[in-house]
């Protein structure tokens, strides 16, 4: 840029400044020939000590470049986004066309290849111009311009606004500094290296830097294919990008004027022929000349289904740490500067094929065009055993600017506030898995009978030692007002019974439940502490994220080992060196034994809720979640290889999704099927017998004893005993036919035992208490019918060679959850029997008694 002329009133000051400038400039010019002598002379004779105050370094700096993010398709890296502070792609000398170099030299520094960094005639003309003699003329050579741009760029990266602005203010001091640095630069680098550095740093309008980005964005071609007219038009920009850049049609006339000047210079200097000149001049700068391409900066321009994941990766790069330091620098400032400089290739974990499939499921089932309510949907899928994020999809388009349409959002529903600006959502019954986990950790059995009847809990019935909680009165209810009696924790999870979870939680510390959730990967989405109170155990407390819930199920599927979610597999710097991203961080959150029982229980939940069970034979654990009013709905689960969390709900507001309750299941089932197809295999652990039993023990067999003797034996062991009306039995009248739960069932002393005395109606005479002969190992034995549906029990009997018509049923009210379920049997499983022998069972009914329609 040419220097501004001084006003007449400052002529004397200008003359004095010019004298000093000229003297020192002369020394600097002579330094291009005899640098050592010139330095000695200047410091000894100038009296200005100029070399003491000017910088001493001179080098070609590394220029800011694009950062590139890659995902995976069929295991191969695919670029999904670029982001940069400056749109630049640094070229090598062989990639720059000759006509671009010639246009630059002809237009900006005709004697470039003959001077040593400072051009004496240009210095003299610039000095005279400053005091009003001659036309406007600048003294800056290409090398001096490069120095100025590098100083400005370095200051900008450091946030040194004062130094940055000084580079665009005319002063003798700045010009002298540029001269000295330019001389030093040319003593270290070849002319071609200086030209290449200039072409890589130059601005071509807006955020576009470097000849390659300029060619791509303005002419939709690589720099190597630029024509003479195109090269000259780009070089015409560098002198004043704000008024000559080609992105703005208002600048085209000014650009063509400068472009044509450069083309004529190229011909005059012998770089092009007269015919090439005329052909280039005949091409107008208009809409047909340019082919403007949109900016591809940032996630907004990235791969469609992975834009929210891209945003997540950028936030990880900006704020996460490795060994106490930011990923790309020791401090936040160093990290930001490294990202500004760019040139990194970031290889991530996202599986684009899987992500596309899940995105299509969301688009189909939770369209972003819904206007009745602020409809949201999100899916996170993690690789079990590593924590690698395979899927991150949601029903909104990614839009991080102002004025987002209703179909778009900048909030990543899958992530927490720090990594996506989401406040999360209430988990509903999905949170019950942590009460179950703590139940098992505390030594309870998932097969023991507990009281799931509705109860209004008084103040102080629940404890949370970490908070000093005095719980408020609480009257939990079940979905649709269902009432339940005694049932196992497994049945409580299958039927998602709030009253049963409340009973379980009342026997534990609520702080322990929430700490277990945190250990397994679930924490409040906003980064705050848990809101700990009694209803939180059924999901009415702190908001959580799909990524957190997916992490918890991955922990269960991984034998109790929690792996922190990771998005980045590798980072490669521009020089090919590796930068360490956050690596796998896996820790034992719960014991393998506890995890094995959780797996078995939650696999039963999936099997008993087939709407959430994907096709195939791969085992799947799962648990649904629904908040009050069906405002938020979830399905969370995992196979041995992939964990999935699906959330469908209200972004804001309380619109009831009762009519769309099962949308979550449709998405979960499809997402898990796609995930298992790509990540097959694996088995869950066999449930650990001791942990499965917990503090329960097998109920002793009191059949054949008198009611009085059986009652005394069981009460002596700490059980509460109830006696039913007599039933038709094989035992003699007055003797116990069987119990419910049946002999051998896992029970605790809190489980009431029901005795069923026989009326002797099926006895065939003889002493009922006679000792039976030893069993023949090869004889036919009774199958285990307990926990089967009545229909399945009949099928099982038939398959084992027994006559289902001889099945004798006693109906017992054990709550809605146990309707038509076999609660006890006599004879016991694995005891011998004949094909025409009868068998008695206790089957669950409701309060009205009798067959409820089984």
């Amino acid at each position: 840029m040419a220097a501004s002329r001084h006003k007449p009133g400052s002529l004397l000051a200008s003359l004095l400044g010019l004298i000093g400038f000229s003297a020192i400039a002369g020394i600097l010019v002579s330094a291009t020939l005899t640098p050592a002598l010139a330095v000695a002379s200047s410091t000894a004779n100038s009296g200005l000590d100029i070399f003491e105050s000017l910088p001493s370094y001179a080098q070609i700096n590394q220029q800011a470049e694009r950062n590139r993010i890659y995902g995976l398709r069929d295991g191969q890296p695919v670029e999904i986004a670029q982001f940069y502070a400056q749109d630049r792609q640094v070229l090598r000398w062989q990639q720059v066309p000759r006509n671009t170099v010639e246009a630059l030299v002809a237009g900006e520094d005709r004697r470039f290849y003959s001077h040593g960094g400072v051009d004496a005639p240009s210095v003299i003309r610039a000095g005279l111009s400053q005091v009003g003699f001659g036309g406007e003329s600048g003294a800056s050579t290409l090398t001096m311009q490069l120095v100025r741009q590098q100083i400005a760029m370095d200051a900008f990266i450091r946030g040194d606004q004062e130094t940055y602005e000084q580079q665009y203010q005319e002063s003798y001091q700045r010009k002298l500094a540029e001269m000295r640095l330019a001389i030093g630069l040319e003593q270290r680098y070849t002319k071609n290296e200086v030209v290449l550095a200039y072409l890589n740093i130059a601005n071509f309008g807006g955020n576009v830097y470097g000849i390659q980005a300029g060619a791509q964005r303005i002419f939709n071609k690589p720099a190597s294919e630029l024509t003479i007219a195109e090269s000259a038009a780009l070089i015409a920009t560098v002198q004043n990008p704000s008024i000559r850049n080609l992105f703005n049609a208002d600048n085209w006339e000014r650009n063509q004027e400068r472009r044509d000047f450069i083309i004529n210079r190229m011909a005059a200097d012998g770089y092009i022929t007269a015919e090439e000149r005329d052909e280039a001049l005949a091409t107008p700068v208009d809409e047909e000349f340019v082919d403007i391409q949109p900016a591809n900066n940032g996630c907004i321009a990235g791969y469609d289904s992975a834009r929210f994941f891209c945003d997540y990766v950028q936030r990880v790069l900006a704020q996460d740490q490795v060994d106490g330091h930011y990923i790309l620098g020791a401090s936040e400032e160093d990290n930001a500067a490294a990202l500004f400089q760019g040139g990194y290739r970031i290889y991530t974990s996202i599986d684009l094929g899987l992500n596309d499939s899940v995105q299509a499921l969301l688009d189909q089932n939770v369209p972003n065009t819904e206007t009745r309510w602020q409809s949201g949907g999100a899916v996170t899928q993690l690789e079990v055993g590593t924590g690698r994020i395979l899927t991150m999809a949601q029903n909104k388009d990614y839009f991080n600017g102002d004025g987002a349409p209703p179909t778009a959002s900048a909030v990543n529903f899958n992530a927490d506030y720090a990594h996506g600006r989401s406040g999360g959502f209430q988990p509903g019954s999905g949170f019950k898995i942590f009460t179950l986990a703590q139940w098992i950790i505390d030594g309870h059995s998932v097969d023991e009978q507990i009281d799931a009847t509705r109860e209004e809990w008084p103040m102080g019935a629940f404890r949370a030692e970490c908070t000093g909680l005095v719980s408020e009165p609480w009257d939990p209810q079940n979905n649709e007002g269902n009432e339940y009696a005694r049932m196992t924790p497994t049945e409580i999870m299958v039927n998602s019974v709030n009253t049963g979870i409340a009973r379980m939680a009342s026997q534990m510390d609520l702080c322990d439940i929430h700490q277990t959730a945190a250990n397994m990967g679930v924490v409040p989405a906003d980064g705050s502490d848990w809101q700990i109170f009694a209803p939180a155990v059924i999901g009415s407390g702190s908001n959580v994220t799909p990524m957190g819930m997916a992490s918890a199920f991955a922990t269960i599927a991984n034998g109790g080992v929690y792996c922190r979610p990771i998005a980045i597999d590798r980072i490669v710097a521009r020089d090919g060196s590796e930068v360490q991203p956050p690596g796998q961080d896996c820790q034992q959150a719960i014991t393998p034994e506890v995890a094995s029982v959780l797996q078995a229980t939650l696999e039963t939940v999936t099997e008993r809720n087939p709407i959430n069970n994907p096709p195939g034979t791969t085992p799947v654990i799962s648990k649904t979640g629904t908040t009050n009013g069906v405002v938020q709905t979830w399905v969370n689960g995992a196979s041995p290889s992939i964990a999935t969390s699906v959330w469908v709900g209200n972004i804001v507001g309380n619109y009831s999704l009762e009519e769309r309750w099962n949308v979550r299941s449709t998405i979960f089932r499809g997402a898990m099927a796609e995930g298992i197809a790509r990540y097959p295999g694996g088995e869950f652990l066999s449930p650990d017998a001791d942990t499965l039993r917990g503090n329960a023990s097998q109920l002793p067999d009191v059949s054949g004893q008198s009611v009085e003797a059986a009652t005394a034996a069981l009460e002596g062991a700490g059980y509460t005993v109830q006696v039913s009306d007599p039933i038709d039995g094989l035992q003699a009248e007055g003797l116990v036919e069987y119990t419910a739960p049946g002999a051998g069932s896992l029970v605790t002393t809190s489980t009431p035992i029901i005795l069923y005395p026989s009326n002797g109606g099926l006895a065939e005479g003889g002493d009922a208490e006679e000792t039976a002969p030893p069993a023949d190992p090869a004889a036919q034995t009774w199958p285990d019918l307990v926990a089967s549906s009545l229909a399945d029990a009949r099928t099982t009997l038939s398959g084992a060679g027994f006559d289902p018509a001889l099945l004798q049923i006693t109906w017992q009210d054990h709550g809605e959850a146990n309707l038509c379920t076999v609660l006890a049997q006599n004879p016991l499983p694995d005891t011998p029997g004949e094909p025409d022998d009868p068998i008695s069972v206790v089957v669950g009914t409701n309060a009205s008694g009798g067959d409820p329609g089984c």
Side-chain angles (χ1 to χ4, degrees), residues 676-705:
I676 291 170
R678 288 175 168 82
Y679 298 87
E683 295 290 339
F684 289 132
L685 300 170
S686 296
D688 179 72
D690 290 338
T691 307
L692 189 65
R693 182 181 301 108
N695 63 351
S697 58
Q698 288 188 335
L699 184 67
D701 185 2
V702 295
S703 61
Q705 298 181 22

Side-chain angles (χ1 to χ4, degrees), residues 99 103 226-233 259 263 266 272 276-277 280:
N99 60 44
L226 290 170
T227 66
I228 293 171
E230 291 166 346
S231 288
R259 183 206 68 169
I263 292 171
M266 292 173 72
I272 59 175
E276 290 173 325
R277 175 199 62 197

Side-chain angles (χ1 to χ4, degrees), residues 639-701:
S639 74
S641 60
I642 186 168
T644 300
S645 176
V646 174
W647 163 77
V648 176
N650 288 254
I651 300 170
V652 296
N654 296 295
Y655 185 92
S656 175
L657 303 183
E658 186 168 1
E659 293 181 357
R660 297 175 54 78
W661 204 328
N662 291 329
V663 167
R664 60 185 178 178
S665 298
T666 301
I667 297 170
F668 177 82
R669 194 169 59 250
M672 280 300 298
E674 291 284 349
I676 291 170
R678 288 175 168 82
Y679 298 87
E683 295 290 339
F684 289 132
L685 300 170
S686 296
D688 179 72
D690 290 338
T691 307
L692 189 65
R693 182 181 301 108
N695 63 351
S697 58
Q698 288 188 335
L699 184 67
D701 185 2

Side-chain angles (χ1 to χ4, degrees), residues 240-255:
N240 199 333
S242 62
I243 64 171
R244 293 200 184 106
N245 79 77
L246 292 164
F247 291 101
N248 187 343
D250 293 340
N251 298 336
W252 288 347
E253 182 177 351
R254 287 187 292 267
N255 181 281

Side-chain angles (χ1 to χ4, degrees), residues 440 446 555-560 590-603 621 684-692:
I440 301 168
V446 296
T555 299
I556 298 170
N558 195 32
I590 55 178
T591 67
E593 293 78 13
V594 169
S596 73
V597 176
L598 282 169
Q599 289 173 1
T601 303
L602 295 174
E603 188 177 355
I621 58 176
F684 289 132
L685 300 170
S686 296
D688 179 72
D690 290 338
T691 307
L692 189 65

